[in-house]
Every structure is written in structure tokens, then in C-alpha cells.
Amino acid sequence: MTRRPMAPQIPLNGPRFNEFIQSPKVRVIDQDGENLGVMYTREAMEQAQSVGLDLVEVSPNADPPVAKFLDVGKFKYEAQKKANLARKSQKTQEIKEIKMRPNIDDHDYDTKMKAIHKFIGEGDKVKVTLRFRGRELSHGQLGMQLLQRVQGDTAEIAKIESYPRMEGRQMLMVIAPK
């Protein structure tokens, strides 16, 4: 039993090249960057093959599309490297959490503030959680005063993303770098 020959696979990702270019005419740029003008796709493909390169569509949305004489494999490799470099240099913003109690001592408060300044300096958001236990819950104004103090101490380096709110037995506030 013989198999029928497979049709060439249409590239799903990456630029269209050679016979996959659907436009009848393209603006052609040769390997040296010279503009050869608008010509038929077949004619441009033949010229590219005579130089030993592929005709690659670099700007498909232009009118007419722009195609260049390139090596497809090398072009895809360079694009992949560029994408990986962009992904590597991208900074993801995390949410760090600082937990306090409403009757926190001054030294403990200063230690927590150092941590908040460090997190914001690194570009992360900070979620300040104030835990109430027992009868402390009836003194919600103490927690609000403490969170306003935190807000005042970080005003020059951070902005309030989520204002203080109660969730059960804890009060939450989120601050983000300016």
C-alpha cells in the first residue's frame, strides 16, 4: 500500500514565506536592504531562489505586503531569541504581605516599615494586614489610625491601591509603588 505524498504544511506561527505568501504582488527588499520595488510574488520568489535565499513576508499588513530576501530558519531563530530576551527582561510584580497587630510597639512598627520600603523599592505591591484578636475588634479606630500612619509614612514612594477595609477579623490595605 503506497501513501499519497503530503502537501506542504502551511506555517501556523511565524511569517509566511515562498509559496505560502498569498498576495499576488509584494514590495521586495533584497538581502542588502535595497528596495527593488513592487513585483509579482512568483517573480520575486525566483529572484530570491537565484540568490539562494527565501522570500519572507516581513510586513503582511502593508499595501502591498513587504517581503525580504532572507533565510527563513535564521529569521525565525532571531525572532525567537528576541522574544526570549524580552520575556527575560520583563519584571513581574508580586504582592508581598506584612502582618501587624493594632497595638504594635514603635520598634516593631519601624521594622515592618523597613520591610515595606524594601518591597516597594523592588517594585512589588504590599498588602498590609492588621489582625484583631478578642476585644481588639471593638476598637477598629485603632487599626484605622495605624493604617493611616503607614499610608503617611509611605506617601512619597507609594500610592494606595486599595483603601483600608475590614474582612472578618482583619483589616486590609494594598499599596503599590508610584
Coordinates of all heavy atoms in Angstrom, one line a residue, residues 94-167:
E94 N 4.9 41.3 42.2 CA 4.4 40.4 43.2 C 3.7 41.2 44.3 O 3.9 42.3 44.4 CB 5.5 39.5 43.8 CG 6.2 38.6 42.8 CD 7.2 37.8 43.5 OE1 7.1 37.5 44.7 OE2 8.2 37.4 42.8
I95 N 2.8 40.5 45.0 CA 2.2 41.1 46.2 C 2.8 40.5 47.4 O 2.7 39.3 47.7 CB 0.7 40.9 46.2 CG1 0.0 41.6 45.0 CG2 0.1 41.4 47.5 CD1 -1.5 41.5 44.9
K96 N 3.5 41.3 48.2 CA 4.1 40.9 49.4 C 3.2 41.3 50.6 O 2.5 42.3 50.5 CB 5.5 41.6 49.7 CG 6.5 41.5 48.5 CD 7.1 40.1 48.5 CE 8.2 40.1 47.5 NZ 9.0 38.9 47.6
E97 N 3.2 40.5 51.6 CA 2.2 40.7 52.7 C 3.0 41.1 54.0 O 4.0 40.4 54.4 CB 1.3 39.5 53.0 CG 0.2 39.8 54.0 CD -0.8 38.7 54.1 OE1 -0.5 37.6 53.6 OE2 -1.8 38.9 54.7
I98 N 2.5 42.1 54.7 CA 3.1 42.5 56.0 C 1.9 42.4 57.0 O 0.9 42.9 56.8 CB 3.6 43.9 56.0 CG1 4.8 44.1 55.0 CG2 4.0 44.4 57.4 CD1 6.1 43.5 55.5
K99 N 2.1 41.6 58.1 CA 1.1 41.4 59.1 C 1.4 42.2 60.3 O 2.6 42.2 60.8 CB 1.0 39.9 59.4 CG 0.4 39.1 58.3 CD 0.2 37.7 58.7 CE -0.4 36.9 57.5 NZ -0.6 35.5 57.8
M100 N 0.5 42.9 60.9 CA 0.6 43.7 62.1 C -0.5 43.4 63.0 O -1.5 42.8 62.6 CB 0.7 45.2 61.8 CG 1.8 45.6 60.9 SD 1.7 47.4 60.8 CE 2.9 47.7 59.5
R101 N -0.4 43.9 64.2 CA -1.5 44.0 65.2 C -1.8 45.4 65.6 O -0.9 46.3 65.4 CB -1.0 43.2 66.5 CG -0.7 41.7 66.3 CD -2.0 40.9 66.3 NE -2.8 41.2 67.4 CZ -2.6 40.7 68.7 NH1 -1.6 40.0 69.0 NH2 -3.5 41.0 69.6
P102 N -3.0 45.7 66.0 CA -3.3 47.1 66.2 C -2.5 47.8 67.3 O -2.3 49.0 67.3 CB -4.8 47.1 66.6 CG -5.2 45.7 66.7 CD -4.1 44.9 66.2
N103 N -2.0 47.0 68.3 CA -1.3 47.6 69.4 C 0.2 47.3 69.2 O 0.9 47.0 70.2 CB -1.8 47.1 70.7 CG -1.7 45.6 70.8 OD1 -1.5 44.9 69.8 ND2 -2.0 45.1 72.0
I104 N 0.7 47.5 68.0 CA 2.1 47.3 67.7 C 3.0 48.3 68.4 O 2.7 49.5 68.5 CB 2.4 47.2 66.2 CG1 3.7 46.7 65.8 CG2 2.1 48.6 65.6 CD1 3.9 46.4 64.3
D105 N 4.2 47.8 68.8 CA 5.2 48.7 69.5 C 5.9 49.5 68.4 O 6.0 49.1 67.3 CB 6.1 47.9 70.3 CG 6.9 48.7 71.3 OD1 6.3 49.6 71.9 OD2 8.1 48.5 71.5
D106 N 6.5 50.7 68.8 CA 7.2 51.5 67.9 C 8.4 50.8 67.2 O 8.5 51.0 66.0 CB 7.8 52.8 68.6 CG 6.7 53.8 69.0 OD1 5.6 53.7 68.3 OD2 6.8 54.6 69.9
H107 N 9.2 50.1 67.9 CA 10.3 49.4 67.3 C 9.9 48.4 66.3 O 10.4 48.2 65.2 CB 11.2 48.8 68.3 CG 12.5 48.2 67.7 ND1 12.5 46.9 67.4 CD2 13.7 48.7 67.4 CE1 13.7 46.6 66.9 NE2 14.4 47.7 66.8
D108 N 8.8 47.6 66.6 CA 8.3 46.6 65.7 C 7.7 47.3 64.5 O 7.9 46.8 63.4 CB 7.2 45.8 66.4 CG 7.8 45.0 67.6 OD1 9.0 44.7 67.6 OD2 7.0 44.6 68.5
Y109 N 7.0 48.4 64.7 CA 6.5 49.2 63.6 C 7.6 49.6 62.6 O 7.5 49.5 61.4 CB 5.7 50.4 64.1 CG 5.2 51.3 63.0 CD1 4.0 51.0 62.3 CD2 5.9 52.5 62.7 CE1 3.5 51.8 61.3 CE2 5.4 53.3 61.7 CZ 4.2 53.0 61.0 OH 3.8 53.8 60.0
D110 N 8.7 50.1 63.2 CA 9.8 50.6 62.4 C 10.4 49.4 61.5 O 10.7 49.6 60.4 CB 10.9 51.2 63.2 CG 10.5 52.5 63.9 OD1 9.5 53.1 63.4 OD2 11.1 52.9 64.9
T111 N 10.5 48.2 62.1 CA 11.0 47.1 61.4 C 10.1 46.7 60.3 O 10.5 46.4 59.2 CB 11.1 45.9 62.4 OG1 11.9 46.2 63.5 CG2 11.7 44.7 61.7
K112 N 8.8 46.7 60.5 CA 7.8 46.4 59.4 C 7.9 47.5 58.3 O 7.8 47.2 57.2 CB 6.4 46.4 60.0 CG 6.1 45.4 61.1 CD 6.0 44.0 60.5 CE 5.6 43.0 61.6 NZ 5.5 41.7 61.1
M113 N 8.1 48.8 58.7 CA 8.2 49.8 57.7 C 9.4 49.7 56.9 O 9.4 50.0 55.7 CB 8.2 51.2 58.4 CG 6.8 51.6 58.9 SD 5.5 51.5 57.7 CE 5.9 52.7 56.5
K114 N 10.5 49.2 57.4 CA 11.8 49.0 56.7 C 11.5 47.9 55.6 O 11.9 48.0 54.4 CB 12.9 48.5 57.6 CG 13.6 49.6 58.3 CD 14.8 49.0 59.1 CE 15.4 50.0 60.0 NZ 16.4 49.5 60.9
A115 N 10.7 46.9 56.0 CA 10.4 45.8 55.0 C 9.5 46.3 53.9 O 9.7 46.0 52.8 CB 9.7 44.6 55.8
I116 N 8.5 47.2 54.3 CA 7.6 47.8 53.3 C 8.4 48.6 52.3 O 8.2 48.5 51.1 CB 6.5 48.6 54.0 CG1 5.5 47.7 54.7 CG2 5.8 49.5 53.0 CD1 4.5 48.4 55.6
H117 N 9.3 49.5 52.8 CA 10.1 50.3 52.0 C 11.0 49.4 51.0 O 11.2 49.8 49.8 CB 11.0 51.2 52.8 CG 10.3 52.4 53.3 ND1 10.1 53.6 52.6 CD2 9.7 52.7 54.5 CE1 9.4 54.4 53.3 NE2 9.2 53.9 54.5
K118 N 11.5 48.3 51.5 CA 12.3 47.4 50.7 C 11.5 46.8 49.6 O 11.9 46.8 48.4 CB 13.0 46.3 51.6 CG 13.9 45.4 50.8 CD 14.5 44.4 51.7 CE 13.8 43.1 51.4 NZ 14.1 41.9 52.1
F119 N 10.3 46.3 49.9 CA 9.4 45.7 48.9 C 9.0 46.7 47.9 O 9.0 46.4 46.7 CB 8.2 45.1 49.6 CG 8.5 43.9 50.5 CD1 7.7 43.7 51.6 CD2 9.5 43.1 50.3 CE1 7.9 42.6 52.4 CE2 9.8 42.0 51.1 CZ 9.0 41.8 52.2
I120 N 8.6 47.9 48.3 CA 8.2 48.9 47.3 C 9.4 49.3 46.4 O 9.3 49.5 45.2 CB 7.6 50.1 48.0 CG1 6.2 49.6 48.5 CG2 7.4 51.3 47.1 CD1 5.4 50.6 49.3
G121 N 10.6 49.4 47.0 CA 11.8 49.7 46.3 C 12.1 48.7 45.2 O 12.7 49.0 44.1
E122 N 11.7 47.4 45.4 CA 11.9 46.4 44.5 C 10.8 46.3 43.4 O 10.9 45.5 42.5 CB 12.0 45.0 45.2 CG 13.2 44.8 46.0 CD 13.2 43.6 46.9 OE1 12.1 42.9 46.9 OE2 14.2 43.3 47.6
G123 N 9.8 47.2 43.6 CA 8.8 47.3 42.6 C 7.6 46.4 42.8 O 6.8 46.1 42.0
D124 N 7.5 45.9 44.1 CA 6.4 45.0 44.4 C 5.3 45.7 45.1 O 5.5 46.7 45.8 CB 6.9 43.8 45.3 CG 7.9 42.9 44.6 OD1 7.7 42.7 43.4 OD2 8.8 42.4 45.3
K125 N 4.1 45.2 45.0 CA 2.9 45.7 45.8 C 3.0 45.1 47.2 O 3.6 44.1 47.4 CB 1.6 45.3 45.2 CG 1.3 45.9 43.8 CD 0.0 45.4 43.3 CE -0.3 46.0 41.9 NZ -1.6 45.5 41.4
V126 N 2.5 45.9 48.2 CA 2.5 45.4 49.6 C 1.1 45.4 50.1 O 0.3 46.4 50.0 CB 3.4 46.3 50.5 CG1 3.4 45.8 51.9 CG2 4.8 46.4 49.9
K127 N 0.7 44.3 50.7 CA -0.6 44.1 51.3 C -0.4 44.2 52.8 O 0.3 43.3 53.4 CB -1.2 42.8 50.9 CG -2.6 42.4 51.5 CD -3.0 41.1 51.0 CE -4.2 40.5 51.7 NZ -4.5 39.2 51.2
V128 N -0.9 45.2 53.4 CA -0.8 45.4 54.9 C -2.0 44.8 55.6 O -3.1 45.2 55.3 CB -0.6 46.8 55.3 CG1 -0.4 47.0 56.8 CG2 0.5 47.5 54.5
T129 N -1.8 43.7 56.4 CA -2.9 43.0 57.1 C -2.8 43.3 58.5 O -1.8 43.1 59.2 CB -2.8 41.5 56.8 OG1 -2.7 41.3 55.4 CG2 -3.9 40.8 57.5
L130 N -3.9 43.8 59.1 CA -4.0 44.1 60.5 C -4.9 43.1 61.2 O -6.1 43.0 60.8 CB -4.6 45.5 60.7 CG -4.1 46.3 61.8 CD1 -2.6 46.5 61.8 CD2 -4.8 47.7 61.8
R131 N -4.4 42.3 62.1 CA -5.2 41.2 62.7 C -5.7 41.7 64.0 O -5.0 42.2 64.9 CB -4.2 40.0 62.9 CG -4.0 39.2 61.7 CD -4.7 37.8 61.9 NE -4.7 37.1 60.7 CZ -3.9 36.1 60.4 NH1 -3.0 35.7 61.2 NH2 -4.1 35.4 59.2
F132 N -7.0 41.5 64.2 CA -7.6 41.8 65.5 C -7.9 40.5 66.2 O -8.4 39.5 65.7 CB -8.9 42.6 65.3 CG -8.8 43.9 64.7 CD1 -8.8 44.1 63.3 CD2 -8.5 45.0 65.5 CE1 -8.7 45.4 62.8 CE2 -8.3 46.3 65.0 CZ -8.4 46.5 63.6
R133 N -7.6 40.5 67.6 CA -7.9 39.4 68.4 C -8.8 39.8 69.6 O -8.5 40.8 70.2 CB -6.7 38.7 68.9 CG -5.9 38.0 67.8 CD -4.9 37.0 68.1 NE -4.3 36.9 69.3 CZ -3.0 36.6 69.6 NH1 -2.2 36.6 68.5 NH2 -2.6 36.5 70.8
G134 N -9.8 39.0 69.9 CA -10.6 39.3 71.1 C -11.3 40.6 71.1 O -12.0 41.0 70.1
R135 N -11.0 41.4 72.2 CA -11.7 42.7 72.3 C -11.2 43.7 71.4 O -11.7 44.8 71.3 CB -11.6 43.1 73.8 CG -12.4 42.3 74.7 CD -12.5 42.9 76.1 NE -12.6 41.8 77.1 CZ -12.1 41.8 78.3 NH1 -11.3 42.8 78.6 NH2 -12.3 40.9 79.1
E136 N -10.0 43.5 70.8 CA -9.4 44.5 69.9 C -10.4 44.8 68.8 O -10.4 45.9 68.2 CB -8.1 44.0 69.3 CG -7.0 43.8 70.3 CD -5.8 43.2 69.6 OE1 -5.9 42.6 68.6 OE2 -4.7 43.2 70.3
L137 N -11.2 43.9 68.4 CA -12.2 44.1 67.3 C -13.1 45.2 67.6 O -13.6 45.9 66.6 CB -13.0 42.8 67.1 CG -13.6 42.6 65.7 CD1 -12.6 42.7 64.6 CD2 -14.3 41.2 65.6
S138 N -13.4 45.5 68.8 CA -14.3 46.6 69.1 C -13.7 48.0 69.0 O -14.3 49.0 69.1 CB -14.9 46.4 70.5 OG -13.9 46.4 71.5
H139 N -12.3 48.0 68.9 CA -11.6 49.2 68.7 C -11.0 49.3 67.3 O -9.8 49.4 67.1 CB -10.4 49.3 69.7 CG -10.9 49.2 71.2 ND1 -11.6 50.3 71.8 CD2 -10.9 48.2 72.1 CE1 -11.9 49.9 73.0 NE2 -11.5 48.7 73.2
G140 N -11.9 49.3 66.3 CA -11.5 49.4 64.9 C -10.8 50.7 64.6 O -10.0 50.7 63.7
Q141 N -11.1 51.8 65.3 CA -10.5 53.0 65.0 C -8.9 53.0 65.3 O -8.2 53.7 64.6 CB -11.1 54.2 65.9 CG -10.8 54.2 67.3 CD -11.6 53.3 68.2 OE1 -12.4 52.5 67.7 NE2 -11.5 53.4 69.5
L142 N -8.5 52.1 66.2 CA -7.0 52.0 66.4 C -6.3 51.4 65.2 O -5.3 51.9 64.8 CB -6.8 51.1 67.6 CG -7.1 51.6 69.0 CD1 -6.9 50.6 70.1 CD2 -6.4 52.9 69.3
G143 N -7.0 50.4 64.6 CA -6.5 49.8 63.4 C -6.4 50.8 62.2 O -5.5 50.9 61.5
M144 N -7.5 51.6 62.1 CA -7.6 52.6 61.1 C -6.5 53.7 61.2 O -5.9 54.1 60.3 CB -9.0 53.3 61.1 CG -9.3 54.1 59.9 SD -9.1 53.2 58.3 CE -10.7 52.5 58.1
Q145 N -6.2 54.1 62.5 CA -5.2 55.1 62.8 C -3.8 54.5 62.4 O -3.0 55.2 61.8 CB -5.2 55.5 64.3 CG -6.3 56.3 64.7 CD -6.4 56.5 66.2 OE1 -5.6 55.9 66.9 NE2 -7.4 57.3 66.6
L146 N -3.6 53.2 62.7 CA -2.3 52.6 62.3 C -2.1 52.5 60.8 O -1.0 52.9 60.3 CB -2.2 51.2 62.9 CG -0.9 50.4 62.7 CD1 0.2 51.2 63.3 CD2 -1.0 49.0 63.2
L147 N -3.2 52.2 60.1 CA -3.0 52.1 58.6 C -2.9 53.5 58.0 O -2.2 53.6 57.0 CB -4.3 51.4 58.0 CG -4.3 49.9 58.3 CD1 -5.5 49.2 57.6 CD2 -3.0 49.2 57.8
Q148 N -3.5 54.5 58.6 CA -3.3 55.9 58.1 C -1.8 56.3 58.4 O -1.3 57.0 57.6 CB -4.3 56.8 58.8 CG -5.7 56.7 58.2 CD -6.7 57.5 58.9 OE1 -6.5 58.0 60.0 NE2 -7.9 57.6 58.4
R149 N -1.3 55.9 59.5 CA 0.1 56.1 59.8 C 1.1 55.5 58.8 O 2.0 56.1 58.3 CB 0.5 55.6 61.2 CG 1.9 55.9 61.7 CD 2.0 55.4 63.1 NE 3.4 55.4 63.5 CZ 3.9 54.8 64.5 NH1 3.1 54.1 65.3 NH2 5.2 54.8 64.8
V150 N 0.7 54.2 58.4 CA 1.5 53.5 57.3 C 1.4 54.3 56.0 O 2.3 54.5 55.3 CB 1.0 52.1 57.2 CG1 1.6 51.4 55.9 CG2 1.3 51.3 58.4
Q151 N 0.2 54.7 55.7 CA -0.1 55.5 54.5 C 0.7 56.8 54.5 O 1.3 57.1 53.5 CB -1.6 55.8 54.4 CG -2.0 56.5 53.2 CD -3.5 56.7 53.1 OE1 -4.3 56.1 53.9 NE2 -4.0 57.5 52.2
G152 N 0.8 57.5 55.6 CA 1.5 58.7 55.7 C 3.0 58.5 55.5 O 3.7 59.3 54.9
D153 N 3.5 57.4 56.1 CA 5.0 57.1 56.1 C 5.4 56.7 54.7 O 6.6 56.8 54.4 CB 5.3 56.1 57.1 CG 5.2 56.6 58.5 OD1 5.1 57.9 58.7 OD2 5.2 55.8 59.5
T154 N 4.5 56.1 53.9 CA 4.9 55.7 52.5 C 4.4 56.6 51.4 O 4.5 56.2 50.3 CB 4.4 54.2 52.3 OG1 3.0 54.2 52.4 CG2 5.0 53.3 53.3
A155 N 3.9 57.8 51.8 CA 3.2 58.6 50.8 C 4.1 59.1 49.7 O 3.7 59.2 48.5 CB 2.6 59.9 51.5
E156 N 5.4 59.3 50.0 CA 6.3 59.8 48.9 C 6.8 58.7 48.0 O 7.2 59.0 46.8 CB 7.5 60.5 49.5 CG 8.5 59.7 50.4 CD 8.0 59.5 51.8 OE1 7.1 60.2 52.2 OE2 8.7 58.7 52.5
I157 N 6.7 57.4 48.3 CA 7.2 56.4 47.4 C 6.1 55.4 46.9 O 6.3 54.7 46.0 CB 8.3 55.5 48.1 CG1 7.7 54.8 49.4 CG2 9.5 56.3 48.4 CD1 8.6 53.7 49.9
A158 N 4.9 55.5 47.5 CA 3.8 54.6 47.1 C 2.5 55.3 47.1 O 2.3 56.3 47.7 CB 3.8 53.4 48.1
K159 N 1.6 54.7 46.4 CA 0.2 55.1 46.4 C -0.7 54.0 46.9 O -0.4 52.9 46.8 CB -0.2 55.6 44.9 CG -0.2 54.5 43.9 CD -0.6 55.0 42.5 CE -0.6 53.9 41.5 NZ 0.6 53.4 41.1
I160 N -1.9 54.4 47.4 CA -2.8 53.5 47.9 C -3.6 52.9 46.7 O -4.2 53.6 46.0 CB -3.8 54.1 48.9 CG1 -3.1 54.8 50.0 CG2 -4.8 53.1 49.4 CD1 -2.2 53.9 50.8
E161 N -3.5 51.6 46.6 CA -4.2 50.9 45.5 C -5.6 50.4 46.0 O -6.6 50.4 45.3 CB -3.4 49.7 45.0 CG -4.0 49.1 43.8 CD -3.1 48.1 43.1 OE1 -2.2 48.5 42.4 OE2 -3.3 46.9 43.3
S162 N -5.6 50.0 47.3 CA -6.9 49.5 47.9 C -6.9 50.1 49.3 O -6.1 49.8 50.1 CB -6.9 48.0 47.9 OG -8.0 47.5 48.7
Y163 N -7.9 51.0 49.5 CA -8.0 51.6 50.8 C -8.4 50.6 51.9 O -8.9 49.6 51.6 CB -9.1 52.8 50.7 CG -8.5 53.9 50.0 CD1 -8.7 54.1 48.6 CD2 -7.8 54.9 50.6 CE1 -8.2 55.1 47.9 CE2 -7.2 56.0 49.9 CZ -7.5 56.1 48.6 OH -6.9 57.1 47.9
P164 N -8.1 51.0 53.2 CA -8.4 50.0 54.3 C -9.8 49.6 54.3 O -10.8 50.4 54.2 CB -8.0 50.9 55.5 CG -7.1 51.9 55.1 CD -7.5 52.2 53.6
R165 N -10.0 48.3 54.5 CA -11.3 47.7 54.6 C -11.3 46.5 55.6 O -10.3 45.8 55.7 CB -11.9 47.3 53.2 CG -11.1 46.1 52.6 CD -11.6 45.8 51.2 NE -11.0 44.6 50.7 CZ -9.8 44.5 50.2 NH1 -9.1 45.6 50.1 NH2 -9.4 43.3 49.8
M166 N -12.4 46.2 56.2 CA -12.5 45.1 57.1 C -12.9 43.8 56.4 O -13.8 43.9 55.5 CB -13.5 45.4 58.2 CG -13.1 46.3 59.3 SD -11.7 45.7 60.3 CE -12.4 44.4 61.2
E167 N -12.2 42.7 56.7 CA -12.6 41.4 56.2 C -12.6 40.5 57.3 O -11.5 40.0 57.7 CB -11.7 40.9 55.1 CG -12.0 41.5 53.7 CD -11.2 40.9 52.6 OE1 -10.5 39.8 52.9 OE2 -11.2 41.4 51.5

